[in-house]
Amino acid sequence: QIQLVESGGGLVQTGGSLRVSCAASGGIFSTYPMGWFRQPAGKEREFVAAISWLGGSKYYADSVKGRFAVSRDNAKNTLYLQMSSLKPEDTAVYYCAARPPYSSGNSYLGKEYRYWGQGTQVTVSS
């Protein structure tokens, strides 16, 4: 089964940019639809973005649309989340997750994701 490891989190100022990555191993990465979720301290986990297994379809939460961009490099077994115009409310632990191989479309539902990384902290200072 696939294993996921996030990296690239850190501290950034309001209005800044940051790219987080998710390295996959143990599975055929190109067959897994992927997603990004985040969980602010003391709050529920929320959907951020999703991308289909070939990368042709992407879906975003309204709160990040136009500011965040999800992409994947199947040759490098890596998922990315490019974050721009960051706001303090973007502060959270960011998780990547994978749905079962060849699942169709995109999903914002956490319960449809079978595999999860350990998360990386992103902090946006005001």
Side-chain angles (χ1 to χ4, degrees):
Q1 67 182 37
I2 197 169
Q3 289 89 45
L4 305 171
V5 179
E6 301 93 337
S7 62
L11 176 64
V12 62
Q13 292 186 334
T14 296
S17 298
L18 194 67
R19 187 178 78 166
V20 292
S21 302
C22 172
S25 62
I28 304 175
F29 178 67
S30 61
T31 66
Y32 289 83
M34 300 294 295
W36 285 100
F37 290 78
R38 66 187 182 187
Q39 187 167 20
K43 297 185 179 180
E44 296 289 313
R45 182 181 65 197
E46 61 185 26
F47 168 76
V48 176
I51 186 168
S52 57
W53 47 281
L54 289 179
S57 176
K58 302 175 184 180
Y59 181 60
Y60 297 94
D62 287 343
S63 60
V64 306
K65 202 172 294 182
R67 300 189 299 122
F68 289 13
V70 60
S71 63
R72 65 190 299 161
D73 186 335
N74 286 341
K76 296 183 177 179
N77 294 340
T78 304
L79 175 74
Y80 302 100
L81 183 68
Q82 178 68 48
M83 302 180 286
S84 303
S85 301
L86 283 161
K87 306 174 182 180
E89 51 264 43
D90 294 318
T91 295
V93 177
Y94 283 72
Y95 298 91
C96 66
R99 294 171 63 208
Y102 302 114
S103 299
S104 61
N106 290 310
S107 176
Y108 62 91
L109 297 173
K111 65 181 181 181
E112 294 193 7
Y113 291 79
R114 184 175 296 175
Y115 309 102
W116 293 81
Q118 84 291 345
T120 187
Q121 176 70 46
V122 173
T123 302
V124 184
S125 64
S126 58

